[in-house]
Amino acid sequence: MEIERLKYPIGKFVPPDVITPQIIRTWITEIEQLPATLNGTLEGISERALDTPYRPEGWTVRQVVHHLADSHINSYIRFRWTLTEDTPVIKAYNQAEWAKLPDAIFGDVNLSVRLLEAVHARWLVLLKVMTMDDMERSYIHPESNAEFKLSRVVGLYAWHGKHHLAHIQNLLKSL
């Protein structure tokens, strides 16, 4: 049970049965706040802490920060595909393998924080003008062959940012 709490410190993402414009606005605000909150959380962090896994057999804080940038870049691109193509099959990526690449293991986290700031700035321009019809557009994820509406994906990525932020914050409290 402890490992599950370490894996999912805020719980797993469970979308509401009905996704309203107000819920989407809340999620967009959470996405908007992530880069600044992450930057504040990392302020003054030691190299030792950056290279500490947030749980046994988990990624280091450094890998988590780089993963956030990688993942949110991919989501931004998926939104653009979905808004310009009819139910596209998106490109999946192997996030575990990406986290093993040298830039994720040794790279300066400030680069990924700045990258996240830039991607979110662009993504937010798009998110804030999307209509509910736009939010109803969907893509197909090739690993599950499941269809995902953009309205749900907004919530997933609001959760995703808070999920990994909690990993980092919980680790820092324990050091």
Side-chain angles (χ1 to χ4, degrees), residues 31-103:
I31 289 170
E32 185 170 29
Q33 293 169 346
L34 176 64
T37 305
L38 178 63
N39 198 37
T41 299
L42 296 174
E43 192 172 320
I45 192 170
S46 69
E47 289 295 312
R48 181 179 141 276
L50 283 171
D51 293 325
T52 302
Y54 71 89
R55 67 173 170 84
E57 299 181 32
W59 291 337
T60 65
V61 169
R62 185 182 309 273
Q63 288 171 299
V64 169
V65 173
H66 294 310
H67 163 72
L68 278 166
D70 294 341
S71 178
H72 289 218
I73 288 167
N74 274 280
S75 186
Y76 170 64
I77 290 168
R78 291 168 180 178
F79 268 71
R80 293 179 62 82
W81 278 330
T82 305
L83 291 169
T84 59
E85 299 176 21
D86 187 26
T87 318
V89 176
I90 55 103
K91 171 79 172 106
Y93 74 103
N94 186 329
Q95 62 185 13
E97 291 301 313
W98 282 35
K100 293 177 186 175
L101 292 172
D103 62 328

Side-chain angles (χ1 to χ4, degrees), residues 5-169:
R5 188 188 64 73
L6 291 172
K7 279 184 180 179
Y8 298 100
I10 64 168
K12 293 182 179 182
F13 176 64
V14 179
D17 292 334
V18 176
I19 298 174
T20 65
Q22 178 56 45
I23 290 170
I24 290 172
R25 282 191 296 276
T26 298
W27 287 339
I28 290 170
T29 299
E30 292 170 355
I31 289 170
E32 185 170 29
Q33 293 169 346
L34 176 64
T37 305
L38 178 63
N39 198 37
T41 299
L42 296 174
E43 192 172 320
I45 192 170
S46 69
E47 289 295 312
R48 181 179 141 276
L50 283 171
D51 293 325
T52 302
Y54 71 89
R55 67 173 170 84
E57 299 181 32
W59 291 337
T60 65
V61 169
R62 185 182 309 273
Q63 288 171 299
V64 169
V65 173
H66 294 310
H67 163 72
L68 278 166
D70 294 341
S71 178
H72 289 218
I73 288 167
N74 274 280
S75 186
Y76 170 64
I77 290 168
R78 291 168 180 178
F79 268 71
R80 293 179 62 82
W81 278 330
T82 305
L83 291 169
T84 59
E85 299 176 21
D86 187 26
T87 318
V89 176
I90 55 103
K91 171 79 172 106
Y93 74 103
N94 186 329
Q95 62 185 13
E97 291 301 313
W98 282 35
K100 293 177 186 175
L101 292 172
D103 62 328
I105 294 174
F106 305 113
D108 179 354
V109 294
N110 292 309
L111 296 172
S112 280
V113 171
R114 290 196 314 261
L115 189 55
L116 195 65
E117 289 170 348
V119 168
H120 277 221
R122 282 282 305 274
W123 195 10
L124 286 159
V125 169
L126 191 60
L127 288 171
K128 289 179 176 182
V129 298
M130 288 175 65
T131 65
M132 284 307 287
D133 284 342
D134 293 332
M135 290 289 177
E136 289 302 304
R137 295 179 66 97
S138 58
Y139 62 73
I140 306 222
H141 198 292
E143 292 175 346
S144 62
N145 207 34
E147 191 169 325
F148 292 90
K149 287 185 178 184
L150 293 181
S151 58
R152 180 183 183 276
V153 178
V154 173
L156 177 63
Y157 276 84
W159 170 87
H160 185 256
K162 293 185 299 185
H163 165 72
H164 285 304
L165 192 59
H167 286 146
I168 296 167
Q169 291 168 335

